Amino acid sequence: MNPPELLGVLAESFAGTDAGRTLPMRLCAACVDTFGAQGGALTVLAGPGDQVAVSTPGEYEQLEPLQEVLGEGPVPRAIGEDRLVALCLGEVVDEYPVFSHLAGSMSGDATAEATLYAVPMRVTPRVVGALSVYVTGDLAARAPDLQLVADAVGTILLRRTTLGDWSEKASFHQATGMVAAEFGIRPDDASAMIRAHAFARSTSLLEVADDVLARRRFPGDG
């Protein structure tokens, strides 16, 4: 399939999505449909050391926030190294031992047979995020197609998405600032502290951030 045909398929899939959903969610669903995937996500860099993501609903949606909390996995690597990264969810690998182990244990038999492809979204000259697709087949031969679609989606998001589309993450940034000020540490260290508490409690970053903003700090702390 040549680039115009592929982008035509993407546009057709996008037109068939629910117009009442946010632009990132519609683009995510269109990418999943375009590649015949069983799930997917779009991750966008929101600032130094932070990212935000939307996922299609289903058995794979819990894996994207897991990578965010752990700070390891195909998505962080695809963004950091600017290359396509693939991981069979049934394998434990040295590159991301915690994520691959937990992803396998959280997955059912069908999910464990899937492969996660994470592709950097490039808006020249920089990487602005990543496209993730979860498929039970093999997309390795379609790496150029994945890259083309990822770059197209990244360009659309950069040009048309406002911060309001990702406003649910505002509390995380506010909480990071509060923790940094209260403990006298750098923002990156404050962000890491919030992530560590989220992982230890098996909860989301936003729930921990809300506790911080409500001045409950971290439940269980003295």
Side-chain angles (χ1 to χ4, degrees):
M1 189 178 297
N2 61 43
E5 290 174 337
L6 179 59
L7 294 179
V9 171
L10 178 67
E12 184 176 351
S13 297
F14 179 78
T17 60
D18 183 358
R21 304 173 80 185
T22 65
L23 175 64
M25 283 301 303
R26 295 183 67 195
L27 286 170
C28 185
C31 290
V32 168
D33 184 60
T34 296
F35 290 103
Q38 286 69 58
L42 294 177
T43 301
V44 175
L45 298 176
D50 190 39
Q51 59 192 42
V52 293
V54 294
S55 303
T56 54
E59 56 190 338
Y60 301 102
E61 63 180 319
Q62 59 186 329
L63 299 184
E64 211 71 20
L66 179 61
Q67 294 181 81
E68 181 185 3
V69 169
L70 294 174
E72 70 170 44
V75 169
R77 174 154 292 192
I79 293 173
E81 299 183 2
D82 188 13
R83 65 180 180 90
L84 183 150
V85 179
L87 172 68
C88 177
L89 296 181
E91 297 179 354
V92 176
V93 298
D94 292 339
E95 290 87 348
Y96 0 91
V98 180
F99 172 73
S100 58
H101 173 73
L102 291 177
S105 65
M106 292 165 61
S107 304
D109 292 339
T111 306
E113 295 176 358
T115 298
L116 162 58
Y117 291 88
V119 192
M121 294 191 297
R122 301 167 179 159
V123 180
T124 305
R126 62 194 177 98
V127 174
V128 298
L131 162 66
S132 307
V133 289
Y134 297 83
V135 296
T136 53
D138 184 0
L139 287 180
R142 299 195 65 188
D145 291 347
L146 284 166
Q147 191 62 67
L148 176 65
V149 168
D151 293 347
V153 169
T155 300
I156 293 170
L157 288 172
L158 190 66
R159 291 179 178 175
R160 297 182 55 188
T161 304
T162 66
L163 289 176
D165 290 315
W166 310 90
S167 59
E168 67 274 11
K169 282 295 179 121
S171 60
F172 176 76
H173 295 294
Q174 294 172 14
T176 297
M178 286 182 63
V179 172
E182 189 164 344
F183 291 93
I185 57 179
R186 298 179 306 167
D188 285 352
D189 293 334
S191 173
M193 183 181 292
I194 294 175
R195 292 174 191 278
H197 277 271
F199 178 60
R201 292 169 47 195
S202 298
T203 189
S204 69
L205 294 175
L206 292 181
E207 287 186 23
V208 176
D210 287 342
D211 288 336
V212 172
L213 295 177
R215 299 200 178 276
R216 293 188 289 267
R217 193 175 300 173
F218 303 119
D221 288 355

